[in-house]
Amino acid sequence: MSDDTTSGLITTLKDWRVAVMLLLVVFSVVSIYVIPPGISNGMTGNLQLGLDLEGGSWIQLSFQSEVVRFDTDENPEAFAARIGEALDAEVFLFEEDRLEIRAPFTREELEPVFAENGGSIVTYENGVSKDTADQIKLILENKVNNLGTKDARINTITGLNGVTQYIRLELAGVDIATAQEIVGAQGKFEIRIQTIGNETEHVLYGDSIKSVSTPTQSPPGSDVWGVGFTLSQEGAVAFREAANTHGATSNPDAHEIMMLLDDEIVYSASLNPQLAAELKTAPVRELRATTGAGEEGLEDAKKLEIHLRAGALPVDVQIAGSGTVSASLGEHFKVMSVIAGILALMAVAATVYYWYREPAIVLPMIGTNIAEIIILLGIATYLQQLDLASIAGLIAVLGTGIDQLVVITDEVIYEGRVPSQNLYLKRFNRALGIIMVAACTTVIAMLPLAVMDLANLRGFAIITILGVLIGVLITRPAYGKIIMAIMSKKPSDR
């Protein structure tokens, strides 16, 4: 290699666009195989593989609840409270004219109850509100994470009116019995009281908690969040006796009340002075745990609500469908996906070589395309589970990537050479403008699939969008610099 060639290579590598691309390639390789150590997993490393590539189980759950739009001349909150009392069920007003009823009732069963309380049913749908669906999804995610199940996907399926009708769990590498256990498993919830120093005494278990409310502000309109919960009569008596026996009612600050889930403290606070005074005279069933102000207080309240339920879902569910993918079939799909990717890359390389008949163009083009795929896979280890649809997205990115590199190459090369630097930059910027417009249309087209709950199609859309953004922002500018450095050399130097 001549000194001029070595100097030109060093200059090219020092260009920030090329340096960023190479650094991202190194970062991606490290993410896939090194941190955490993933080389023992073979070629997949730390990539999160979906059900159809890993094998495993899926369960689709339906909710034993309804969302009812109603009409009444009464105050909506008072009306919702009366409906809840009449049905002896949890009823939540989540819009001014919509109720979520957390118990299985038919429309025919509900209509006379609504009529007796001064209202009527406008629409009736089986399912839950978006907030409840998000809460159920978070609870299931916590269960999955606690069991160390990494390759899991949980999607909600929502109807046109915003009512979530189903939730679907896909658990790679998990058998159907374990998947069903994850859905129904509950943790051990316990309330303990601080006695002397760091010593604590047991007060009650989670079975003494009869209901848990959603996070609310108290007093209403303030910025302080908390979660209310109701104890059974026996639980309320046990709570009062413990508070009085250990001095929490006379000196609350020295005797904190602790909540534990699976022996880990999830909440700890002293008794409110007003509650302490009430407990001196009688048991109190309605309690409230305050979590703080602002967004942080709200997030803590949401987490505490889940802990108080000890992993129990706020709405009863039924298994509407389930199935498995064998590990051998998943391995087959995995191998075929790799073969499909290699064949696609070979076909692209052959086509580009046939068009240009110039290795100095083909090799950087294919190398840039491979770097783009590596970067995309590295980012996907943190963001996206890979399934067959995602692999299809990778192949689509490979094809569109080469197409855009051809646009750049045809635009900037004239008679086999790069023109003057000023003219080159003008042509390159024009080509990049064309590519950016095409990229924007692709992103806009994929956005609906990326944000909607359409299971595997969402993975395809996310991978495609990521690939397009990586190409426009990173690999296309780097390729422009590389091809300029290579094709600017004289024929005798090549």
Side-chain angles (χ1 to χ4, degrees):
M1 184 180 291
S2 66
D3 292 340
D4 289 343
T5 301
T6 303
S7 177
L9 178 61
I10 294 174
T11 301
T12 303
L13 293 177
K14 285 183 177 179
D15 183 85
W16 69 269
R17 290 156 291 196
V18 179
V20 167
M21 183 179 75
L22 294 178
L23 286 174
L24 284 175
V25 169
V26 173
F27 165 81
S28 297
V29 172
V30 169
S31 298
I32 296 172
Y33 293 109
V34 181
I35 303 176
I39 195 69
S40 60
N41 297 331
M43 64 180 180
T44 58
N46 293 317
L47 292 172
Q48 300 180 50
L49 300 182
L51 184 65
D52 42 11
L53 295 178
E54 189 77 3
S57 307
W58 65 269
I59 294 179
Q60 187 159 303
L61 305 172
S62 62
F63 305 106
Q64 299 297 289
S65 65
E66 305 80 42
V67 172
V68 175
R69 189 181 297 277
F70 64 92
D71 183 40
T72 184
D73 293 331
E74 306 290 331
N75 177 275
E77 293 182 358
F79 178 75
R82 289 202 305 274
I83 294 296
E85 291 176 3
L87 296 173
D88 190 23
E90 286 187 279
V91 174
F92 292 93
L93 181 74
F94 65 94
E95 290 180 8
E96 287 189 359
D97 61 345
R98 297 179 88 186
L99 294 177
E100 178 184 274
I101 303 173
R102 294 180 173 180
F105 291 99
T106 65
R107 180 166 185 158
E108 289 71 22
E109 291 172 326
L110 292 176
E111 283 179 339
V113 176
F114 274 64
E116 290 169 5
N117 288 276
S120 60
I121 295 177
V122 179
T123 62
Y124 167 97
E125 294 178 86
N126 287 110
V128 295
S129 64
K130 182 182 182 302
D131 287 343
T132 300
D134 290 342
Q135 182 189 31
I136 292 172
K137 184 176 180 180
L138 183 58
I139 291 172
L140 292 175
E141 286 173 346
N142 286 341
K143 289 183 178 184
V144 169
N145 292 336
N146 288 339
L147 291 175
T149 305
K150 175 186 175 185
D151 297 331
R153 171 185 286 166
I154 303 175
N155 292 319
T156 54
I157 302 173
T158 303
L160 295 177
N161 294 323
V163 177
T164 302
Q165 299 169 329
Y166 300 97
I167 192 162
R168 179 183 172 97
L169 290 81
E170 296 183 0
L171 303 171
V174 174
D175 60 79
I176 192 68
T178 304
Q180 292 173 344
E181 181 182 343
I182 289 173
V183 173
Q186 285 186 242
K188 185 186 78 172
F189 184 86
E190 181 184 13
I191 293 180
R192 300 181 69 86
I193 188 170
Q194 184 181 0
T195 55
I196 301 174
N198 293 325
E199 297 295 320
T200 63
E201 283 287 336
H202 167 78
V203 179
L204 54 85
Y205 287 114
D207 57 3
S208 295
I209 298 176
K210 294 306 177 184
S211 65
V212 181
S213 71
T214 56
T216 56
Q217 296 164 308
S218 181
S222 71
D223 198 29
V224 180
W225 291 92
V227 180
F229 58 99
T230 304
L231 297 178
S232 65
Q233 186 61 38
E234 296 79 7
V237 170
F239 188 82
R240 175 177 180 265
E241 289 178 353
N244 284 317
T245 300
H246 298 292
T249 53
S250 57
N251 187 10
D253 291 339
H255 303 280
E256 291 200 344
I257 308 300
M258 302 176 183
M259 299 180 184
L260 297 85
L261 183 61
D262 293 331
D263 298 323
E264 290 188 11
I265 296 176
V266 296
Y267 180 83
S268 180
S270 57
L271 288 179
N272 178 283
Q274 181 180 346
L275 175 60
E278 292 178 5
L279 288 172
K280 288 181 179 180
T281 59
V284 178
R285 293 188 62 191
E286 303 293 332
L287 301 178
R288 177 180 174 81
T290 301
T291 55
E295 288 296 323
E296 184 176 352
L298 174 58
E299 290 303 314
D300 288 343
K302 290 179 178 178
K303 293 176 183 177
L304 181 58
E305 180 189 0
I306 293 172
H307 296 324
L308 283 167
R309 296 182 186 277
L313 301 179
V315 176
D316 289 338
V317 296
Q318 279 189 337
I319 296 178
S322 62
T324 60
V325 176
S326 67
S328 59
L329 183 59
E331 186 66 26
H332 172 73
F333 285 149
K334 191 188 305 181
V335 172
M336 294 305 294
S337 297
V338 173
I339 292 174
I342 294 174
L343 290 177
L345 187 62
M346 292 174 60
V348 165
T351 303
V352 171
Y353 184 78
Y354 176 79
W355 181 255
Y356 290 107
R357 305 294 178 91
E358 175 59 71
I361 295 176
V362 176
L363 293 179
M365 193 177 289
I366 299 301
T368 302
N369 214 218
I370 293 174
E372 185 175 325
I373 296 299
I374 293 174
I375 294 171
L376 181 53
L377 289 174
I379 295 175
T381 59
Y382 301 99
L383 299 178
Q384 178 63 37
Q385 192 182 86
L386 295 181
D387 50 24
L388 289 178
S390 301
I391 299 299
L394 286 171
I395 294 175
V397 167
L398 189 151
T400 57
I402 284 291
D403 181 55
Q404 292 174 359
L405 296 179
V406 168
V407 171
I408 292 175
T409 305
D410 284 350
E411 187 69 27
V412 301
I413 292 179
Y414 178 72
E415 293 183 351
R417 295 291 304 278
V418 170
S420 65
Q421 184 171 1
N422 289 337
L423 184 57
Y424 171 85
L425 292 175
K426 182 178 179 180
R427 290 180 175 179
F428 175 70
N429 288 333
R430 183 168 60 190
L432 204 57
I434 295 171
I435 290 170
M436 291 185 69
V437 170
C440 287
T441 59
T442 301
V443 171
I444 292 171
M446 290 292 111
L447 274 177
L449 295 180
V451 300
M452 294 174 68
D453 291 321
L454 295 176
N456 291 346
L457 290 179
R458 190 167 184 264
F460 172 82
I462 291 175
I463 289 294
T464 302
I465 290 173
L466 284 175
V468 167
L469 294 178
I470 291 169
V472 170
L473 300 177
I474 300 168
T475 56
R476 308 292 178 268
Y479 173 77
K481 182 65 179 179
I482 293 170
I483 200 67
M484 176 183 175
I486 291 175
M487 299 306 294
S488 294
K489 294 183 292 182
K490 297 179 181 180
S492 59
D493 292 333
R494 294 206 303 264

